[in-house]
Amino acid sequence: MKTPVRKILGWLMCLVSVLAWTADSPALALGVRVANTTLRLPQNPAQLGYSLVDAFPGVTFSEPVCIASPPGETNRLFILEKGGTMVVITNLAHPTRTVFMQLTVMSDSESGLLGLAFHPGYATNRLFFLSLTRNLTTTLGSGRHQGIARFECSPTNSNQGLPGSEVPLLNQYDTAGNHQGGDLHFGPDGYLYASMGDEGPQYDGGNNSQNITKNYFSAILRLDVDKRPGNLLPNVHPAVTTNYFVPADNPYVGATNFNGKTVDPTKVRTEFYAVGFRNPWRMSFDSVTGQLYVGDVGQDLWEWVDVVVKGGNYGWAFFEGLHPGFKTPPAGFTRINPIHEYPHGTGPSRGNAIIGGVVYRGKHLSQLYGTYVFSDNGTGNVWILRPNGTNFVTSERITGAAGPSAIGIDPSNGDVLIAQTGGQIARLQYNATPVGTPLPPTLADAGAFGDLAALTPQPGVVPYDLNVPFWSDGALKRRWFSIPDLTAQMGFNRDGNWQFPAGSVWVKHFDLELTNGVPASRRRLETRFIVKTTNDLYGVTYRWDDTQKNATLVPEVGLDETFVIHDGSTVRTQVWHYPGRAECLTCHTAVGGGALGFNTPQLNRDFDSGDGLENQILALNRAGYFSSPATGLQTLRALVPATDRTASAEARVRSYLAANCSQCHQPGGPTTAAFDTRIATPTSLAGLINGHLNVSGGGDAFHVISPGAPEASEMLERISKRGSEQMPPLASNVVDTNAVALLTEWINGDAVTFQSFADWQVVHFGDPKLPQAAATADPDADGQSNELEFLVGTDPLAALDPWRVSARLGNGVVQIRFPRIARRGFEVQVSGNFADPLGWQPLDVPSNRPFFSAATADAIVEDPIVDSHPRFYRVRVFEQ
């Protein structure tokens, strides 16, 4: 969700002038921060180089140009040969080449059989789509046509396509054999995306690059091949058919202006999703973020990489990469710059024909996790772009290929595969030459514990605990952290992520009861480390051996182990997954703060770390861990455990989601799902209740949360299963039944009666645009705004139905009393100057801690008086 968070709140003031006596405050014993000198996890671990090897020895291809696999499959790979052969490789460990389908195409120049995409429902509907160049006669002319067509797999032979099953979608007459684009992919929204070049004449001689009312060139198309209700037929054009729809939200639907000129909306190519491309040769969606990357082949001087967004104009032929192009842009023309470009020529940083790549999300090469891997057909250079927050750093050459023509993914393990014009499919792998400090081979070598048997931490390795732990298949966990350098400090944030210095280390240890409820049956499973590097972080896992005396570094790809669990009268097997290093980065995202759980709402709790029970944030504050002291400690938010039934179901659900989902599901996170699970985002703005789904197998009735309908709530569906669609997506093989019950309780309970302010306006005023319906209006003249009446549940049209706040002074304490409405937050604020709007501050006392009650009850917040100055109070009311 990209909308800035708006906290709906209301105020009711109670003015009190008091004279008070002064008392001495009790002295607090200061904690002592201790340096650590024993940890031996390198801040920047050893790195390996890269090489290419033959992925399928003995299997060769003729001009391979596309690598693809059906969704969900792990043991088949499809290769398109430019001359018209569609090949399937079966049994990838011992590959067999089979001709899946043979087509007649025009394969001269850059034409031929170019792109392949399998329908998201291929496993049941057997539909796939091809981009291909053929010699046809249409009303546009006779000769070369660039087409997109649908085909079917044989119902009796999964390794055989049916040439006679063709259903054309689009056939565009093409005057040249080059600049075909020709790539096809289904996006996370379930729509088919197709890349189209500018037809071929140099310097955009066909005048296609900045024209949305002519033909189907120089663009990324977005098509609805399922013809969903509400979508549209394409505008009339000789190239198109009625075998697809145009998504109604495509950016040029209904357009009347383009580049400052009036256009006829009935002639607009509404299939266009983004424009301004020269020859978008190979594109891909990041499997995690859903971002679309395109490599665009340049003219004379530059090659570039684009991240494509809806409605984006990428500049050709007004620009070549970042540089002035070959035509003059109109006044006010705006474009989206490439994320990277490189010049023509030879050498490690140059080339002449970009081969668009993939974002690596495999397990074998954790050093590359999240990077964009791409290449160049001329020089063979293989580069990566490494993300740095929302940007990319300068590219790094990692190896070289022989005439690369396409890049894809091995579905069995996520490896990067590169098609080479010589006929091989190459696999990217590490070489055997590490540079730098290696990782400690055992837990004892890591230096975190002085006594492994007792898990006694070394000095400067400090235990901590969380309010709501991440679900880990029923494992019991202990946690420690260390900032070894006493001069290094953290940056505190009340609601957002803390900032951590390089060298910070977090340790998490896992035990599993082999007989549930019997502590003596506990087995030590693993101890994990997260280490903050200069610009990023890395994670490693140590698996405890059968002697339970030490733990050994888990292989980079991770490891599975099976245990027999005695659960009452039931005996079951449980697979425990020790995460690989790339998987650590999947969850420990930058937007999630890196060190998950090490934040204010998780650490805001009492814990005995060895010197008695104390609030953890207070203890960190006193020990000097923060670069600026944390203030207002009693007013900080805290996550609520699912078992705390004094809190509302909504508060407990939101706490569970914050702990288990917010590392991905928030603005800027690595997911296309448009909801926000951060605890500070109000539910009305979080996109949860009746939240939109990009793709839903259940149809229009399905939402993120469908109140009163657990069976139509996608979030509940995903946490209730294990497999490819489970949530959380990693490190779990067992369903969290308590979370399922909690979410079901909310869906059938409080979510049904949930009401946004807009809903409330309609109920009470009919039309939210009426002046008396405005948030600040007071139609019943009771002194309370509509916004406050909405929050506290009073009638905005009944003056005798107010929400009241009172204050009473006695024995040196002011008691502020008010009804605490269920599912609402309340914060008493104090000021010494009623007229100063900046003088109000939250009252920093224990009874003023944020809390969302399950039931309405009277609340009392007490303010001890320590001086004789006047004090004024007001109460802020806000949503969960």
Side-chain angles (χ1 to χ4, degrees):
M1 187 182 81
K2 302 299 183 185
T3 307
V5 171
R6 177 182 65 89
K7 291 186 178 179
I8 296 179
L9 53 88
W11 303 96
L12 191 65
M13 296 186 187
C14 182
L15 280 56
V16 182
S17 178
V18 297
L19 296 177
W21 49 273
T22 303
D24 293 333
S25 349
L28 292 175
L30 296 176
V32 177
R33 183 178 168 188
V34 179
N36 174 266
T37 60
T38 62
L39 284 166
R40 289 183 286 275
L41 289 142
Q43 184 173 316
N44 296 290
Q47 297 284 298
L48 289 162
Y50 304 91
S51 62
L52 292 174
V53 297
D54 189 352
F56 308 111
V59 181
T60 59
F61 305 88
S62 175
E63 294 187 281
V65 292
C66 178
I67 302 170
S69 57
E73 290 197 20
T74 60
N75 202 28
R76 287 199 304 171
L77 191 69
F78 287 76
I79 308 295
L80 295 189
E81 296 181 338
K82 184 169 167 286
T85 306
M86 183 175 176
V87 177
V88 59
I89 306 174
T90 56
N91 191 11
L92 299 185
H94 302 283
T96 299
R97 172 194 163 108
T98 302
V99 174
F100 184 82
M101 192 164 66
Q102 184 69 51
L103 297 108
T104 300
V105 299
M106 295 181 69
S107 59
D108 59 324
S109 186
E110 296 168 5
S111 300
L113 183 59
L114 302 178
L116 165 65
F118 293 91
H119 192 281
Y122 178 77
T124 55
N125 64 26
R126 300 179 286 105
L127 300 179
F128 61 94
F129 297 78
L130 294 174
S131 172
L132 64 176
T133 315
R134 288 182 292 187
N135 189 349
L136 300 175
T137 297
T138 67
T139 58
L140 292 167
S142 294
R144 188 186 316 272
H145 284 67
Q146 185 64 25
I148 301 172
R150 188 187 79 199
F151 294 84
E152 292 183 31
C153 172
S154 166
T156 59
N157 183 351
S158 61
N159 294 320
Q160 183 66 58
L162 299 177
S165 65
E166 178 179 356
V167 175
L169 272 64
L170 183 150
N171 277 306
Q172 170 65 58
Y173 181 65
D174 195 340
T175 62
N178 58 338
H179 297 192
Q180 305 291 21
D183 209 1
L184 296 177
H185 292 272
F186 277 92
D189 54 9
Y191 292 132
L192 179 64
Y193 290 72
S195 67
M196 310 293 285
D198 68 0
E199 192 174 15
Q202 300 299 296
Y203 308 103
D204 189 32
N207 293 313
N208 294 311
S209 69
Q210 295 289 331
N211 195 328
I212 66 169
T213 59
K214 188 182 177 185
N215 297 317
Y216 291 88
F217 294 118
S218 200
I220 305 298
L221 312 184
R222 181 183 185 232
L223 312 178
D224 172 14
V225 300
D226 297 315
K227 304 177 77 170
R228 301 178 190 175
N231 286 337
L232 313 169
L233 281 168
N235 283 336
V236 175
H237 188 281
V240 306
T241 68
T242 59
N243 295 322
Y244 67 89
F245 279 174
V246 171
D249 66 339
N250 268 11
Y252 297 105
V253 170
T256 58
N257 187 282
F258 179 72
N259 284 350
K261 295 182 179 180
T262 300
V263 295
D264 182 350
T266 66
K267 296 181 179 179
V268 168
R269 306 281 69 87
T270 53
E271 294 89 343
F272 284 5
Y273 181 78
V275 299
F277 300 93
R278 184 174 182 270
N279 184 21
W281 183 258
R282 307 303 85 173
M283 62 182 183
S284 67
F285 284 96
D286 181 352
S287 62
V288 171
T289 68
Q291 286 187 312
L292 177 58
Y293 293 81
V294 170
D296 204 356
V297 179
Q299 178 68 59
D300 294 335
L301 300 173
W302 297 94
E303 308 290 307
W304 59 95
V305 178
D306 294 314
V307 172
V308 177
V309 298
K310 183 167 69 174
N313 190 325
Y314 292 83
W316 176 254
F318 298 148
F319 292 87
E320 185 183 13
L322 291 167
H323 309 274
F326 304 93
K327 296 185 176 181
T328 303
F333 171 78
T334 59
R335 76 187 193 281
I336 297 178
N337 289 334
I339 62 169
H340 176 71
E341 66 172 9
Y342 61 90
H344 282 194
T346 59
S349 62
R350 295 173 179 263
N352 59 25
I354 191 171
I355 304 299
V358 296
V359 176
Y360 178 72
R361 298 294 182 183
K363 298 179 180 180
H364 288 146
L365 310 177
S366 63
Q367 295 174 186
L368 292 185
Y369 187 83
T371 65
Y372 179 69
V373 184
F374 65 109
S375 189
D376 185 90
N377 180 260
T379 60
N381 289 319
V382 179
W383 297 287
I384 61 169
L385 292 177
R386 191 175 297 278
N388 182 13
T390 58
N391 300 312
F392 285 83
V393 299
T394 304
S395 69
E396 171 190 340
R397 184 186 186 277
I398 58 172
T399 190
S405 56
I407 301 178
I409 295 295
D410 184 331
S412 68
N413 54 26
D415 283 359
V416 173
L417 302 176
I418 301 179
Q420 301 179 112
T421 51
Q424 281 187 331
I425 304 297
R427 183 185 306 276
L428 185 64
Q429 65 175 19
Y430 286 136
N431 64 24
T433 311
V435 177
T437 304
L439 293 167
T442 71
L443 182 59
D445 296 320
F449 299 100
D451 182 347
L452 280 185
L455 286 183
T456 304
Q458 293 279 15
V461 179
V462 182
Y464 69 97
D465 205 359
L466 306 181
N467 279 314
V468 179
F470 186 89
W471 169 247
S472 297
D473 288 3
L476 304 166
K477 293 178 279 189
R478 284 178 276 176
R479 302 168 182 83
W480 300 263
F481 83 98
S482 180
I483 302 179
D485 182 357
L486 289 180
T487 66
Q489 293 178 302
M490 299 181 289
F492 177 79
N493 190 305
R494 291 180 62 88
D495 294 315
N497 298 328
W498 294 2
Q499 302 301 312
F500 306 111
S504 301
V505 177
W506 292 266
V507 187
K508 185 159 60 173
H509 175 78
F510 296 75
D511 289 334
L512 185 66
E513 288 183 349
L514 301 184
T515 300
N516 282 340
V518 179
S521 71
R522 287 184 186 178
R523 177 189 172 95
R524 292 183 173 183
L525 296 179
E526 62 171 292
T527 304
R528 298 179 190 171
F529 291 81
I530 292 291
V531 181
K532 180 71 173 66
T533 66
T534 304
N535 297 312
D536 202 355
L537 54 81
Y538 72 88
V540 293
T541 299
Y542 291 87
R543 174 192 172 275
W544 284 82
D545 59 28
D546 292 340
T547 71
Q548 299 284 277
K549 294 180 179 179
N550 201 354
T552 305
L553 185 65
V554 167
E556 184 165 8
V557 297
L559 182 69
D560 285 340
E561 187 172 9
T562 301
F563 296 97
V564 176
I565 306 296
H566 296 265
D567 192 355
S569 60
T570 301
V571 178
R572 58 181 173 85
T573 59
Q574 179 172 329
V575 176
W576 183 265
H577 180 65
Y578 302 89
R581 283 164 229 169
E583 292 174 299
C584 295
L585 301 179
T586 300
C587 288
H588 288 267
T589 63
V591 297
L596 304 184
F598 214 77
N599 55 48
T600 300
Q602 281 282 33
L603 294 179
N604 186 15
R605 58 162 294 175
D606 290 344
F607 178 67
D608 186 353
S609 61
D611 294 325
L613 204 62
E614 185 178 14
N615 182 275
Q616 293 178 119
I617 297 177
L618 175 62
L620 292 170
N621 208 31
R622 285 194 301 101
Y625 277 100
F626 298 126
S627 55
S628 297
T631 58
L633 298 181
Q634 302 291 355
T635 66
L636 300 176
R637 190 186 294 260
L639 298 190
V640 184
T643 55
D644 184 359
R645 302 193 70 84
T646 64
S648 69
E650 180 182 355
R652 290 179 283 133
V653 166
R654 293 299 310 278
S655 295
Y656 170 85
L657 297 179
N660 288 272
C661 311
S662 64
Q663 64 270 23
C664 293
H665 291 284
Q666 62 170 282
T671 175
T672 59
F675 56 88
D676 185 355
T677 56
R678 292 175 299 174
I679 193 64
T681 302
T683 302
S684 62
L685 300 176
L688 295 169
I689 295 180
N690 292 318
H692 171 74
L693 297 171
N694 287 327
V695 180
S696 173
D700 294 339
F702 262 65
H703 299 94
V704 179
I705 293 296
S706 297
E711 71 283 357
S713 298
E714 184 74 11
M715 178 177 284
L716 179 62
E717 170 73 13
R718 299 286 287 275
I719 71 168
S720 301
K721 65 170 62 173
R722 285 298 173 264
S724 61
E725 295 184 340
Q726 73 177 52
M727 285 293 165
L730 296 174
S732 178
N733 292 299
V734 178
V735 171
D736 184 352
T737 55
N738 290 329
V740 171
L742 173 61
L743 200 57
T744 303
E745 174 190 347
W746 182 50
I747 291 170
N748 286 328
D750 289 352
V752 176
T753 59
F754 179 86
Q755 194 177 51
S756 69
F757 182 62
D759 296 334
W760 182 89
Q761 287 175 303
V762 171
V763 169
H764 289 282
F765 301 101
D767 184 357
K769 297 180 181 178
L770 293 173
Q772 60 266 38
T776 56
D778 181 12
D780 60 2
D782 65 353
Q784 300 184 9
S785 69
N786 280 335
E787 194 166 37
L788 178 60
E789 302 233 35
F790 156 69
L791 289 165
V792 298
T794 52
D795 188 341
L797 302 176
L800 298 179
D801 183 29
W803 179 72
R804 297 297 188 193
V805 174
S806 63
R808 177 186 304 168
L809 173 64
N811 297 322
V813 174
V814 175
Q815 291 186 338
I816 301 92
R817 297 170 176 261
F818 54 88
R820 185 187 297 278
I821 309 300
R823 295 186 280 169
R824 296 298 191 217
F826 297 83
E827 178 182 83
V828 175
Q829 297 186 351
V830 64
S831 176
N833 183 353
F834 173 75
D836 180 7
L838 301 179
W840 294 95
Q841 298 294 326
L843 195 58
D844 192 17
V845 296
S847 53
N848 201 30
R849 291 173 179 168
F851 183 70
F852 298 87
S853 176
T856 298
D858 290 336
I860 300 175
V861 175
E862 295 187 334
D863 180 20
I865 304 304
V866 296
D867 57 44
S868 60
H869 296 97
R871 296 169 75 81
F872 303 89
Y873 299 90
R874 67 182 186 183
V875 180
R876 170 180 173 251
V877 190
F878 53 96
E879 291 185 272
Q880 166 68 54

